[in-house]
């Protein structure tokens, strides 16, 4: 049973990865709306997987600092290494004879703020990793109704804060709290989903669909236009979140029922999802320089193939270096 659960998570992880890459390339508004569940799905999966990781930390009697350092090594250090490679590579592609990025842009990219827009998702995963201990013990509350009531109250207060534009007046709220609260709740739901049946996931999906329909109607009645959920993503609010969770839990419910078979390509992409994602940023930037404007479908295929291929080569190089008995902890960063 456990193996099957790992397999269906691999499939969901690859779907989320491909949808996020698609979001950076696709120009079709309908497709962009359909795929706008990807980041919450990946956060949901992270919560699902975080349970075992944190349990191992407790069994090994490690401190929270060691747990945090492990998360940093798996998320932030690879991102920084990639950014060094990216900004170095871009010296070969000047714009009007000048380097395309200024110092502030580079610093903000390393801080996961307003530099390269594609790395903001790493900030989300780091935030979730740092609040894992709190969420893990919160999940231990035996009364499910109290648990959900607390989450609902926290989320209502969050929506009120967004309505009052507190996120625009406070930088800590804008960059941290406005993401800790909604994505932290999604992360916790991912933890809970380890023990829920596909029927429970289906029911959550239905509730989220109802919330999405109500939100869509209220927005439409106010603006006269059926707005894309993307408009409510930064920071995430009920219109965006309800749609994303509707699709994510629907997929979770369906995939829990499927008797999925192990697939080497799916497993590789799932295990290497961080580096595939990072490499896609480079190819997304340089392919247009070499090939010019092209159909977005062709561009998407090229970016995905190139990102998977270079990650595969990278893993093969790491295999060779591991056999040479080089520092294993350092080499794991490139996995």
């Amino acid at each position: 049973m456990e193996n099957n659960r790992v397999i269906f998570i691999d499939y969901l992880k690859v779907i989320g990865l491909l949808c996020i890459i698609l979001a950076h390339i696709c120009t079709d508004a309908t497709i962009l709306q359909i795929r706008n569940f990807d980041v919450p799905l990946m956060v949901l999966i992270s919560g699902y997987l975080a349970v075992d990781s944190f349990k191992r930390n407790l069994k090994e009697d490690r401190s929270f600092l060691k747990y945090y350092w492990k998360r940093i090594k798996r998320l932030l250090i690879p991102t920084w290494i990639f950014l060094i490679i990216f900004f170095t590579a871009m010296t070969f592609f000047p714009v009007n004879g000048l380097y395309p990025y200024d110092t502030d842009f580079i610093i903000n990219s390393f801080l996961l703020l307003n530099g390269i827009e594609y790395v903001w998702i790493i900030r989300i995963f780091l935030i979730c990793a740092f609040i894992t201990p709190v969420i893990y013990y919160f999940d231990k509350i035996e009364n499910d109704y109290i648990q959900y009531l607390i989450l609902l109250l926290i989320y209502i207060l969050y929506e009120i804060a967004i309505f009052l534009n507190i996120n625009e007046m406070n930088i800590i709220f804008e960059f941290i709290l406005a993401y800790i609260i909604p994505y932290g709740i999604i992360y916790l739901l991912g933890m809970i989903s380890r023990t829920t049946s596909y029927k429970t996931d289906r029911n959550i999906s239905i509730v989220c669909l109802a919330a999405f329909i109500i939100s869509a109607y209220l927005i439409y009645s106010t603006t006269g236009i059926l707005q894309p959920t993307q408009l409510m993503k930064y920071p995430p609010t009920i219109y965006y979140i309800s749609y994303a969770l509707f699709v994510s839990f629907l997929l979770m419910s369906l995939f829990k029922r499927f008797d999925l078979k192990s697939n080497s390509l799916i497993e590789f992409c799932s295990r290497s999802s961080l580096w595939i994602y990072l490499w896609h940023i480079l190819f997304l930037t340089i392919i247009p320089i070499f090939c010019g404007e092209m159909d977005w479908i062709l561009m998407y295929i090229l970016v995905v193939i190139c990102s998977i291929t270079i990650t595969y080569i990278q893993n093969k190089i790491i295999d060779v270096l591991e056999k040479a008995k080089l520092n294993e902890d350092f080499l794991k960063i490139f996995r």
Side-chain angles (χ1 to χ4, degrees):
M1 179 65 181
E2 182 63 20
N3 189 45
N4 289 335
R5 293 174 71 87
V6 170
I7 290 173
F8 88 74
I9 285 294
D10 281 340
Y11 278 85
L12 288 175
K13 202 172 181 183
V14 173
I15 289 173
L17 172 65
L18 293 177
C19 284
I20 292 174
I21 296 175
L22 178 65
H24 302 155
I25 301 171
C26 179
T27 58
D28 185 286
T30 302
I31 294 176
L32 285 173
Q33 174 54 54
I34 292 172
R35 47 88 358 215
N36 207 17
F37 61 88
D38 42 25
V39 173
L41 174 62
M42 294 298 271
V43 173
L44 201 70
I45 292 169
S46 295
Y48 185 101
L49 297 173
V51 175
D52 284 342
S53 176
F54 191 68
K55 280 182 177 179
R56 284 194 299 270
N57 187 77
L58 293 177
K59 287 182 179 179
E60 294 170 7
D61 199 26
R62 292 183 176 180
S63 67
F64 287 171
L65 288 178
K66 288 184 178 179
Y67 176 80
Y68 292 148
W69 174 237
K70 185 177 180 181
R71 297 296 99 191
I72 289 172
K73 286 196 296 183
R74 293 194 64 174
L75 290 168
L76 187 59
I77 303 302
T79 303
W80 281 353
I81 290 173
F82 168 77
L83 288 175
I84 293 171
I85 296 170
F86 177 84
F87 286 120
T88 302
M90 293 311 294
T91 60
F92 299 101
F93 305 100
V95 178
N96 297 324
L98 300 174
Y99 187 69
Y101 305 110
D102 60 28
T103 302
D104 286 344
F105 185 92
I106 294 173
I107 291 174
N108 283 326
S109 296
F110 278 91
L111 294 176
L112 311 179
L113 297 176
N114 293 324
I116 295 179
E117 59 180 327
Y118 309 119
V119 296
W120 76 276
I121 190 174
I122 307 300
R123 184 170 88 244
I124 300 303
F125 290 132
L126 279 171
I127 287 172
C128 290
F130 272 75
I131 62 174
T132 295
V134 175
I135 291 181
Y136 179 81
Y137 288 111
F138 179 83
D139 187 36
K140 296 299 179 182
I141 296 176
E142 294 184 1
N143 191 315
D144 292 343
Y145 293 106
I146 293 177
Q147 203 176 48
Y148 289 126
L149 180 60
I150 292 173
L151 290 179
L152 179 61
L153 290 174
I154 292 173
Y155 187 77
I156 289 173
L157 291 174
Y158 163 77
E159 284 281 352
I160 292 173
I162 297 298
F163 179 77
L164 296 175
N165 293 323
I166 291 178
N167 57 301
E168 297 179 5
M169 297 182 285
N170 187 297
I171 191 170
I172 294 177
F173 193 97
E174 179 182 3
F175 289 104
I176 300 179
L177 290 179
Y179 293 93
I180 282 181
I181 297 171
Y183 285 113
I185 291 173
I186 295 171
Y187 193 67
L188 176 58
L189 290 174
M191 286 185 172
I192 295 172
S193 69
R194 287 187 62 88
T195 56
T196 57
S197 66
Y198 75 88
K199 291 182 179 179
T200 300
D201 293 338
R202 180 197 61 199
N203 292 339
I204 294 175
S205 177
I206 292 172
V207 170
C208 292
L209 174 60
F212 169 66
I213 292 173
I214 293 171
S215 300
Y217 173 76
L218 292 174
I219 292 172
Y220 179 79
S221 63
T222 302
T223 65
I225 302 173
L226 188 59
Q227 301 282 2
T229 57
Q230 183 74 11
L231 293 179
M232 310 293 179
K233 185 176 180 178
Y234 306 106
T237 51
I238 187 66
Y239 185 47
Y240 167 77
I241 292 173
S242 59
Y243 171 77
L245 289 183
F246 152 60
V247 179
S248 296
F249 274 103
L250 179 62
L251 290 173
M252 185 80 77
S253 174
L254 292 173
F255 278 46
K256 280 183 178 181
R257 295 190 67 185
F258 293 160
D259 183 21
L260 297 171
K261 304 300 181 183
S262 178
N263 179 282
S264 57
L265 178 60
I266 294 294
E267 289 183 11
F268 170 77
C269 291
S270 175
R271 286 185 287 105
S272 307
S273 58
L274 175 60
W275 274 104
I276 292 173
Y277 178 79
L278 293 173
W279 282 120
H280 107 276
I281 299 171
L282 178 64
F283 290 112
L284 190 63
T285 306
I286 66 173
I287 287 178
I289 296 175
F290 286 105
C291 304
E293 294 295 325
M294 66 175 70
D295 181 78
W296 72 263
I297 296 176
L298 177 59
M299 177 70 172
Y300 178 67
I301 294 171
L302 277 175
V303 169
V304 170
I305 291 175
C306 289
S307 303
I308 293 174
T309 300
I310 194 171
T311 305
Y312 178 79
I313 294 171
Q314 175 178 313
N315 274 263
K316 288 300 179 183
I317 293 172
I318 297 304
D319 288 342
V320 173
L321 295 177
E322 283 181 341
K323 289 180 181 179
K325 305 297 183 182
L326 296 183
N327 189 301
E328 290 187 8
D329 285 340
F330 177 72
L331 294 177
K332 284 180 181 179
I333 294 173
F334 295 90
R335 285 292 186 187

